[in-house]
């Protein structure tokens, strides 16, 4: 007699989950091709976006780090920028700790697959079995799609030559603006932190090395923290 409890393979065949994962993978693939092409067309070797995608695997952090490098910043500033942008995944990992289980290898691999999308897929499910299936299905699918698309984009970017002919030198700033716009529209606190941060970044840009203005913009968070602290104490 067939058990009434659905197994992981049964859930993987669920059409809605597969459809949603496929759509997100498609969008990720388009961004991945763009990342690989722009990175190489900007002057970095093919192996940089490929290795970064395998080891770092963090879209917005990768865009930011490479943007700093292409602007002339050093590896420390690029790494610091990417690391700061990716600190949110620490909270994500706590949210899906039960999904990763107790096996050390599974936790190690799963931690690498923690992204905005995989956590969203997992937390949207109503029970632990579905959460686990959604996380691993989307995690492996997105990881494979992202890395293949970055490689394709990097190989294509090597044939583009001078990026100025195509206006690709403006691509990284445009992508970063697109990444932050939703948060700016939805959260007043983010706008209050972003405005002074942007002012500081613009002020130090003429005198600071590339990448440092991005780090200096974090001073906006300090002001936001003080306001929230005073409000909490009131």
């Amino acid at each position: 007699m067939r058990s009434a409890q659905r197994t992981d393979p049964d859930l993987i065949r669920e059409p809605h989950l597969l459809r949603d994962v496929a759509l997100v993978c498609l969008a990720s693939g388009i961004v991945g091709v763009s990342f690989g092409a722009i990175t190489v067309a900007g002057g970095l070797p093919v192996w940089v976006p490929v290795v970064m995608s395998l080891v770092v695997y963090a879209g917005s952090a990768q865009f930011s780090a490479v943007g700093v490098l292409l602007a002339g910043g050093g590896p420390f500033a690029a790494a610091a920028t990417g690391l700061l942008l990716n600190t949110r995944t620490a909270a994500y990992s706590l949210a899906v700790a039960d999904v990763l289980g107790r096996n050390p290898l599974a936790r190690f691999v799963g931690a690498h697959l923690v992204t905005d999308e995989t956590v969203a897929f997992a937390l949207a499910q109503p029970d632990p079995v579905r959460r686990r299936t959604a996380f691993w299905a989307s995690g492996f699918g997105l990881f494979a799609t992202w890395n293949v698309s970055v490689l394709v984009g990097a190989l294509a970017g090597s044939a583009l030559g001078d990026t100025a002919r195509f206006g690709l030198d403006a691509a990284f700033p445009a992508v970063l603006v697109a990444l932050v716009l939703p948060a700016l529209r939805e959260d007043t606190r983010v706008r209050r932190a972003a405005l002074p941060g942007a002012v500081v970044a613009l002020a130090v840009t003429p005198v600071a090395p590339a990448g440092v203005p991005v780090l200096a913009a974090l001073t906006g968070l300090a002001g936001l923290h003080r306001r929230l602290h005073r409000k909490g104490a009131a």
Side-chain angles (χ1 to χ4, degrees), residues 22-112:
L23 289 173
V24 174
C25 285
L26 175 62
S28 176
I30 294 172
V31 177
V33 170
S34 302
F35 173 74
I38 297 169
T39 301
V40 175
L44 295 176
V46 171
W47 65 266
V48 170
V50 173
V51 172
M52 184 183 289
S53 295
L54 287 169
V55 177
V56 179
Y57 184 52
S60 59
Q62 289 180 229
F63 271 104
S64 299
V66 171
V68 170
L69 291 174
L70 293 182
F76 174 78
T81 302
L83 181 62
L84 288 168
L85 283 174
N86 224 32
T87 52
R88 69 188 188 281
T89 58
Y92 290 170
S93 297
L94 294 175
V96 295
D98 61 321
V99 174
L100 303 183
R102 297 184 179 275
N103 182 280
L105 179 59
R107 292 179 72 86
F108 177 79
V109 175
H112 194 54

Side-chain angles (χ1 to χ4, degrees), residues 198-215:
V199 172
V200 172
L202 289 173
V204 302
T205 294
V207 296
V212 172
V214 177
L215 300 178

Side-chain angles (χ1 to χ4, degrees), residues 171-185:
F172 275 108
V175 169
L176 294 176
V177 169
L179 288 171
V180 302
L181 275 179
L184 290 173
R185 286 198 300 263

Side-chain angles (χ1 to χ4, degrees), residues 38 41-43 160-170:
I38 297 169
L160 291 178
D162 183 14
T163 59
R165 292 181 300 168
F166 306 99
L168 293 181
D169 53 331

Side-chain angles (χ1 to χ4, degrees), residues 90-215:
Y92 290 170
S93 297
L94 294 175
V96 295
D98 61 321
V99 174
L100 303 183
R102 297 184 179 275
N103 182 280
L105 179 59
R107 292 179 72 86
F108 177 79
V109 175
H112 194 54
L113 298 179
V114 169
T115 64
D116 302 83
E117 295 83 3
T118 57
V119 172
F121 272 120
L123 296 183
Q125 307 308 312
D127 59 74
V129 175
R130 289 174 182 266
R131 285 196 292 271
R132 183 171 60 250
T133 301
F135 176 84
W136 290 108
S138 60
F140 284 123
L142 285 166
F143 183 78
T145 301
W146 176 259
N147 283 280
V148 170
S149 62
V150 168
L151 175 60
V152 171
L155 294 176
S158 63
L160 291 178
D162 183 14
T163 59
R165 292 181 300 168
F166 306 99
L168 293 181
D169 53 331
F172 275 108
V175 169
L176 294 176
V177 169
L179 288 171
V180 302
L181 275 179
L184 290 173
R185 286 198 300 263
E186 296 170 6
D187 197 327
T188 303
R189 293 174 300 176
V190 174
R191 292 196 294 271
R192 290 174 180 172
L195 181 58
V199 172
V200 172
L202 289 173
V204 302
T205 294
V207 296
V212 172
V214 177
L215 300 178

